[in-house]
Amino acid sequence: MSTSGDDPRSVVLYVLFVMLATLLALRWSGARDLRTFLWPPPLAATVLWLVVAVPSLLQLAVPALNEIFRRNPVQIRDDGEWWRVVTSAFVQDGGVAATFANLMLLALPAVAGVRVWGPGRAIALFAAGQLLWGLFTSFVSPSAGAGCSAAAFALAAATAGLWLAVGARRIELAMSLAILSMGALLLLIDDAHGVAVLCGMLLGAVLGTVMPPTRQVPAAAVGA
């Protein structure tokens, strides 16, 4: 199962997924419009982005960082280098272009996640998504690599799971089910990011059931 995300079909699904997940977060947050929703970004979202961005950009000048932090199933299983399950989110594969693409991809889910869940739960969802992804790609479908995209996808998908947990209305239900379908489609085209989407939805549904965040206003106030 691929973790590279270089299939054009995957790229289309990624874009649609991020758009829908952002709209779901916007409807939950009570922001007047997308501009005020995204800017200025919450402090916790900025910190999360910087924690990933600094080592990711530094690795471009110091490539050895990628080798130290990246996921390597053999080293994780046989050499006890368990930190790689998590630290692989802090460096990026694919050179300059992929690094900047992943950091841009992280920006939206980071802001949306903090707006919906608050700082603590958003960071916990990001970390849990990375942990589940790292374990899956180390033991279930072993693949060496690095990148923050899966954790960002899990954080973004958590809002869809939240809507399902709290009883989404017709439009939120349709959008959440569309995200669920995108996760399944990614798996059908052999893209492991589908696992991140589905795990994120599950995490969001569970957390939304036991510790739901507070909505600022009814969904009707932020659009039809």
Side-chain angles (χ1 to χ4, degrees), residues 59-150:
Q59 70 156 28
L60 298 177
V62 187
L65 286 177
N66 189 288
E67 292 302 320
I68 294 170
F69 290 153
R70 76 196 310 265
R71 183 182 65 256
N72 186 312
V74 173
Q75 290 173 300
I76 291 170
R77 294 193 308 261
D78 299 343
D79 300 336
E81 297 181 2
W82 288 91
W83 69 83
R84 295 176 180 273
V85 170
V86 175
T87 59
S88 58
F90 302 133
V91 289
Q92 316 298 318
D93 279 343
V96 174
T99 296
F100 279 93
N102 275 359
L103 293 179
M104 290 176 62
L105 174 66
L106 173 60
L108 271 177
V111 172
V114 173
R115 295 284 195 214
V116 171
W117 295 97
R121 280 173 290 193
I123 292 172
L125 285 166
F126 181 87
Q130 174 59 29
L131 178 62
L132 292 175
W133 166 263
L135 292 173
F136 177 83
T137 50
S138 295
F139 295 95
V140 180
S141 180
S143 172
C148 63
S149 58

Side-chain angles (χ1 to χ4, degrees), residues 16-26 37 112 156-157 159-160 175 179:
L16 292 174
F17 161 71
V18 171
M19 290 173 59
L20 277 181
T22 302
L23 287 174
L24 281 173
L26 175 64
F37 176 73
T159 301
M175 294 166 70
I179 285 178

Side-chain angles (χ1 to χ4, degrees), residues 156-169:
T159 301
L162 169 64
W163 274 110
L164 294 179
V166 300
R169 301 186 315 162

Side-chain angles (χ1 to χ4, degrees), residues 1-18:
M1 188 172 289
S2 174
T3 61
S4 64
D6 53 5
D7 186 326
R9 296 171 298 176
S10 293
V11 174
V12 172
L13 288 171
Y14 295 168
V15 172
L16 292 174
F17 161 71
V18 171

